[in-house]
Amino acid sequence: VSTQSTGDLSNWFDSESFSRIFSNRFDTLWWFGEAYHKKYGQKWPFEGQEPPEGYVYPSTEGIKLALVLAVVLTIVRYSFERLIAEPIGSFLGLKHKYPGTPAGPNATLEAMITKTKRPSQDVIKAAAKEAGIELREAEVWVRRRQRELMPSKLNKFKETLWKLVFYSTTFGYGVSVLWNEPFTWNTSLIWVGYPDLIWAVKKSIYYYYLLEGSFYLSLMVSQFIDTKRKDFWEMFLHHIATLTLIGGSWIGGCYKIGALVMALHDISDVFLESAKIGIYLNITFLANGGFAGFAGTWIIFRLFLYPTRILFSAMFEAPPLVKNWPALGPYCAFLSVLQVLHIYWFTFIVKLFIKIATGSDVDKDNRSDDETPPSSETEAKKDK
């Protein structure tokens, strides 16, 4: 709630008694609003009262609803991929399988390739001996089976198009919600009146939280069945940190800074997914243009605005305003984890930039496992 609207909320509770509740119970980190107060036999300040028009009170119910919406969003995603993205991809010439001769059945070699996706020469030699075939025949089988196991461009296109649509939607909605909020342009206003005047949340921000929270919950689960990336565990850590910040900031009343963090992240992802679609469709200008936008917004929003506005506000503007709030330290720690990941992923951006600068087009997502199978022509030459 901005400073302009706090006066409208002052009649909804006794601010002095509310402050006393907080000061008496700031000795614990696990402070969860209504549930916390009821646990200690205290009357929730808003119990029996309706929030002001256009506002809601943050509570654990919002997190429960996000879990339900994550399931709904997952269903919507796979329906979108099957009914919309797949027909579009097929129309544009993408296929489920790469061309080439099938590997054929071989139980011994199949067990080997299941155990290790890229077996060494010694491993292949031992498996060939066990299967009773020549080493050359085993090598050809491995190449063909690796090609078959690679995710098709059509599958990757479906996943990417869904993310592009979602990120574009959430970024547009986030901008519309935050553009006219005073704390967007003056981050010190995030903490003014904390913790007394923070409980009534605008419904527009509430919906923004539900949308983002449910999406990252669905991503964390679907990550195990989506195209495997080299930075799988780094991305998993990113989802954990993001969900912790979203859930913690919601329950703890820090929804203002949480909404800003979400908005700063979505814009780069819009360009990234656009670049990947350009890669899958072999549209060079879209791939390179999308990458340029991705790199530029990453530098501006995640390497400049995020540390100078968000981290700075949490570490330096918040302490004198929130005083003895014990959760500030953990929040700053998770915000810092995100910044470390921003820097780590930027190294991939630099590698791609060097690739483009040296005259090469962007032909694959540098975070992905090797996605380019040997062509039929190359395979034929190797099979001779």
Side-chain angles (χ1 to χ4, degrees), residues 143-180:
R143 285 197 301 274
R144 291 174 175 174
R145 191 69 181 112
Q146 286 175 334
R147 181 197 64 228
E148 293 172 352
L149 291 174
M150 288 177 181
S152 69
K153 284 188 175 182
L154 181 55
N155 284 335
K156 291 183 287 186
F157 173 83
K158 294 190 300 182
E159 174 190 335
T160 300
L161 186 60
W162 161 252
K163 290 181 180 179
L164 175 61
V165 170
F166 188 88
Y167 285 131
S168 299
T169 302
T170 54
F171 177 70
Y173 180 71
V175 170
S176 68
V177 167
L178 297 172
W179 189 264
N180 294 321

Side-chain angles (χ1 to χ4, degrees), residues 63-271:
I63 293 181
K64 295 176 183 177
L65 181 57
L67 291 171
V68 175
L69 289 178
V71 176
V72 174
L73 203 56
T74 301
I75 296 174
V76 171
R77 172 200 168 164
Y78 287 110
S79 299
F80 173 88
E81 290 184 358
R82 181 68 181 272
L83 302 176
I84 299 177
E86 184 168 334
I88 292 175
S90 298
F91 175 78
L92 295 173
L94 299 179
K95 301 181 182 301
H96 273 297
K97 294 183 178 181
Y98 290 109
T101 306
N106 189 307
T108 302
L109 297 182
E110 188 67 41
M112 174 196 66
I113 205 72
T114 300
K115 185 176 181 180
T116 172
K117 189 176 180 181
R118 291 185 175 86
S120 66
Q121 189 72 8
D122 291 338
V123 172
I124 296 176
K125 186 176 181 179
K129 183 178 180 180
E130 182 181 348
I133 61 176
E134 295 294 328
L135 174 60
R136 183 61 179 166
E137 185 179 351
E139 290 174 339
V140 171
W141 188 94
V142 168
R143 285 197 301 274
R144 291 174 175 174
R145 191 69 181 112
Q146 286 175 334
R147 181 197 64 228
E148 293 172 352
L149 291 174
M150 288 177 181
S152 69
K153 284 188 175 182
L154 181 55
N155 284 335
K156 291 183 287 186
F157 173 83
K158 294 190 300 182
E159 174 190 335
T160 300
L161 186 60
W162 161 252
K163 290 181 180 179
L164 175 61
V165 170
F166 188 88
Y167 285 131
S168 299
T169 302
T170 54
F171 177 70
Y173 180 71
V175 170
S176 68
V177 167
L178 297 172
W179 189 264
N180 294 321
E181 292 291 341
F183 64 80
T184 300
W185 313 105
N186 183 358
T187 53
S188 64
L189 296 178
I190 293 173
W191 314 101
V192 171
Y194 196 92
D196 291 358
L197 305 178
I198 49 82
W199 288 106
V201 185
K202 285 186 176 180
K203 286 185 177 180
S204 57
I205 295 181
Y206 173 58
Y207 299 145
Y208 190 32
Y209 258 80
L210 284 178
L211 192 62
E212 291 276 2
S214 59
F215 178 67
Y216 279 104
L217 280 168
S218 67
L219 274 188
M220 188 173 67
V221 175
S222 65
Q223 183 183 358
F224 290 89
I225 57 177
D226 288 339
T227 302
K228 187 70 176 293
R229 309 293 184 186
K230 291 179 180 178
D231 60 347
F232 177 90
W233 291 111
E234 291 87 345
M235 185 62 72
F236 188 75
L237 175 62
H238 173 270
H239 293 335
I240 293 294
T242 301
L243 287 169
T244 301
L245 285 169
I246 291 176
S249 62
W250 172 253
I251 295 175
C254 295
Y255 55 85
K256 295 179 182 177
I257 194 169
L260 291 177
V261 169
M262 293 186 293
L264 287 179
H265 280 69
D266 285 343
I267 179 60
S268 297
D269 292 318
V270 172
F271 285 101

Side-chain angles (χ1 to χ4, degrees), residues 22-23 25-33 190-191 194-196 198-199 244-245 247-258 313-315 317-333 335:
F22 280 101
S23 62
R25 288 298 176 183
F26 258 37
D27 55 342
T28 178
L29 173 62
W30 302 108
W31 165 59
F32 287 97
I190 293 173
W191 314 101
Y194 196 92
D196 291 358
I198 49 82
W199 288 106
T244 301
L245 285 169
S249 62
W250 172 253
I251 295 175
C254 295
Y255 55 85
K256 295 179 182 177
I257 194 169
S313 180
M315 291 182 174
E317 293 179 338
L321 294 173
V322 303
K323 297 180 181 178
N324 57 339
W325 181 43
L328 181 60
Y331 280 170
C332 288
L335 289 172

